[in-house]
Amino acid sequence: MDFETNSFLSPRLRGMVLFFLAIAITLTALTTSANGAQKKGEGPMFTREGELLMPKNFRHWVFIGAPVTPNDMNNGKAAFPEFHHVYINPVSFAAYRKSGKLPDGTILVKELASVGAKSAVSGNGYFPGEFIGVATAVKDSKRFAKEPGNWAYFSFMGTDGKALAKAKMQPTPACNECHQKNAAADWVFSQFYPVLRAAK
Amino acid sequence: MDFETNSFLSPRLRGMVLFFLAIAITLTALTTSANGAQKKGEGPMFTREGELLMPKNFRHWVFIGAPVTPNDMNNGKAAFPEFHHVYINPVSFAAYRKSGKLPDGTILVKELASVGAKSAVSGNGYFPGEFIGVATAVKDSKRFAKEPGNWAYFSFMGTDGKALAKAKMQPTPACNECHQKNAAADWVFSQFYPVLRAAK
């Protein structure tokens, strides 16, 4: 019964120990891998040249609002004649719920859906049609140290109408200036994103 | 070295085995609990009396579309004068992606957001305001065996304007009939939910 008098682990005991060790290692590996993958896929990812990769799985992120500014309400010349489905990456949303501030690594995705039907059994209105493009905003105080508010803007809509796999930062005047002047706070139009407001 | 000749586990070996066993059990419990909680919180939950509990965390579910049928496009008398933020529970969405069919346990949440602003720097349009209510649809071939399509509908809007914690099924003619007649498929208005269409 005294360990010192038993030479080393018997084969059966060694087997049992290895068995539980293997279970523990496997479970740890699975857990770590799942968390790691989620965090990796959730944040903005850049090429070496600083181009933003098209975010994956953003339709599983947190939806925050869907304004629509259709052509027929803007003399046929709407700047953004689509529904905007706006999402935020979940880790940044969680941080925002705690602190009320959007952290570095925040990525907002704006998926564009055309105006589809304008009437249905539920009444006249605007109903989303088909997806036509993706644009994003990324906050990073190091990577975008020179951008106002540390926000940079990207469009994944290619000139041929096809989606781009990666995108260069838009020139500052193209998006940042308007966000800086008109967004409710921190370059984000949270006045139109009830989920973001409710989370604060 | 032969197990038969060693009486029983030495205290130290017993300790090691128990240690790894504890790790294995803890990790298994954590993993099961995480999955279990996710599945439990994700699906419809009913009281003993058959009332549906207000779903939790649905703003973390999969958003599928946000039509709007405002009063000023319906002679001031819109049946649904709000934005509808429509979500589906993730396990049912995953099943739908695989099979193209919504499984038993599907719950669609319709969160109502008032029309807020009608113009912004981006143009004239409709911008979501504040949240004003929640309604849901649940599919269950056993629990709702008698309902057309096995769909039942619930409103969590109390008569005093406050949200209800639980809700009784709406009478069949109140919702089910219109969904049956006018929805694109399976009682669901997927013609207005581009995320659902894209997933199929």
Side-chain angles (χ1 to χ4, degrees):
Chain A
M1 292 290 284
D2 179 11
F3 182 73
E4 302 305 326
T5 61
N6 288 320
S7 53
F8 200 61
L9 303 189
S10 78
R12 186 161 159 187
L13 285 181
R14 217 182 299 163
M16 284 175 72
V17 170
L18 286 174
F19 173 67
F20 288 121
L21 188 58
I23 288 181
I25 289 173
T26 307
L27 283 170
T28 308
L30 282 174
T31 312
T32 311
S33 151
N35 292 343
Q38 191 192 1
K39 280 176 190 163
K40 199 178 172 186
E42 258 196 17
M45 307 220 356
F46 294 89
T47 66
R48 285 187 188 173
E49 292 74 29
E51 290 181 287
L52 181 66
L53 296 178
M54 168 75 96
K56 292 177 181 172
N57 293 322
F58 61 80
R59 287 182 195 151
H60 286 267
W61 293 3
V62 179
F63 166 76
I64 58 172
V68 58
T69 47
N71 266 328
D72 58 12
M73 289 178 75
N74 294 279
N75 302 314
K77 298 174 187 173
F80 307 95
E82 324 90 359
F83 276 91
H84 290 172
H85 292 182
V86 186
Y87 300 86
I88 184 172
N89 57 329
V91 287
S92 299
F93 182 70
Y96 182 79
R97 286 182 72 173
K98 280 189 185 172
S99 69
K101 292 179 181 176
L102 294 168
D104 267 13
T106 295
I107 173 165
L108 299 174
V109 168
K110 177 173 81 173
E111 183 162 40
L112 311 183
S114 65
V115 169
K118 283 201 57 189
S119 74
V121 66
S122 55
N124 299 316
Y126 291 96
F127 299 83
E130 300 305 322
F131 290 125
I132 51 178
V134 167
T136 69
V138 177
K139 184 180 183 182
D140 191 320
S141 60
K142 287 173 189 163
R143 185 181 287 272
F144 307 120
K146 293 178 182 172
E147 294 304 307
N150 305 136
W151 283 97
Y153 297 84
F154 303 83
S155 167
F156 290 88
M157 286 164 281
T159 48
D160 60 354
K162 289 183 183 172
L164 303 175
K166 54 187 182 177
K168 286 182 187 168
M169 191 184 84
Q170 296 278 305
T172 308
C175 309
N176 193 303
E177 277 186 13
C178 177
H179 279 253
Q180 184 174 10
K181 280 184 192 166
N182 300 294
D186 193 14
W187 278 249
V188 177
F189 288 94
S190 43
Q191 64 265 49
F192 309 133
Y193 303 142
V195 176
L196 218 49
R197 287 201 309 281
K200 200 169 180 175
Chain B
M1 293 292 281
D2 179 11
F3 183 72
E4 302 306 326
T5 63
N6 289 320
S7 53
F8 200 61
L9 303 189
S10 77
R12 185 160 160 186
L13 285 182
R14 218 184 297 162
M16 286 175 71
V17 169
L18 286 175
F19 173 67
F20 289 120
L21 188 59
I23 289 180
I25 289 173
T26 306
L27 283 168
T28 310
L30 282 174
T31 312
T32 311
S33 151
N35 291 343
Q38 193 192 2
K39 281 175 190 163
K40 198 177 173 187
E42 258 197 17
M45 308 221 355
F46 293 88
T47 65
R48 284 188 189 172
E49 292 74 29
E51 290 182 285
L52 181 66
L53 295 178
M54 167 75 95
K56 292 178 181 172
N57 293 320
F58 60 80
R59 288 182 195 151
H60 286 267
W61 292 3
V62 180
F63 165 77
I64 58 172
V68 59
T69 47
N71 265 329
D72 58 11
M73 291 177 74
N74 294 279
N75 301 316
K77 298 174 189 172
F80 306 95
E82 323 88 0
F83 276 91
H84 291 171
H85 292 182
V86 186
Y87 300 86
I88 183 173
N89 57 330
V91 287
S92 298
F93 182 70
Y96 182 81
R97 286 183 71 173
K98 282 190 184 171
S99 70
K101 291 180 183 176
L102 293 169
D104 268 12
T106 295
I107 173 164
L108 299 174
V109 168
K110 177 173 81 173
E111 183 163 40
L112 312 183
S114 65
V115 170
K118 283 200 60 188
S119 75
V121 65
S122 55
N124 298 316
Y126 291 96
F127 299 83
E130 301 304 323
F131 290 125
I132 50 178
V134 167
T136 69
V138 177
K139 184 181 182 182
D140 191 319
S141 61
K142 286 173 191 163
R143 186 180 286 272
F144 306 120
K146 292 179 182 172
E147 293 304 307
N150 304 136
W151 283 97
Y153 298 83
F154 302 83
S155 167
F156 289 88
M157 286 164 283
T159 47
D160 60 354
K162 291 184 181 171
L164 304 175
K166 55 187 181 176
K168 285 182 186 170
M169 191 184 86
Q170 296 278 306
T172 308
C175 309
N176 193 304
E177 276 186 13
C178 176
H179 279 254
Q180 183 173 13
K181 280 184 191 166
N182 299 294
D186 193 14
W187 279 248
V188 176
F189 287 95
S190 43
Q191 64 265 49
F192 308 134
Y193 303 142
V195 176
L196 218 49
R197 288 202 308 280
K200 201 170 179 173

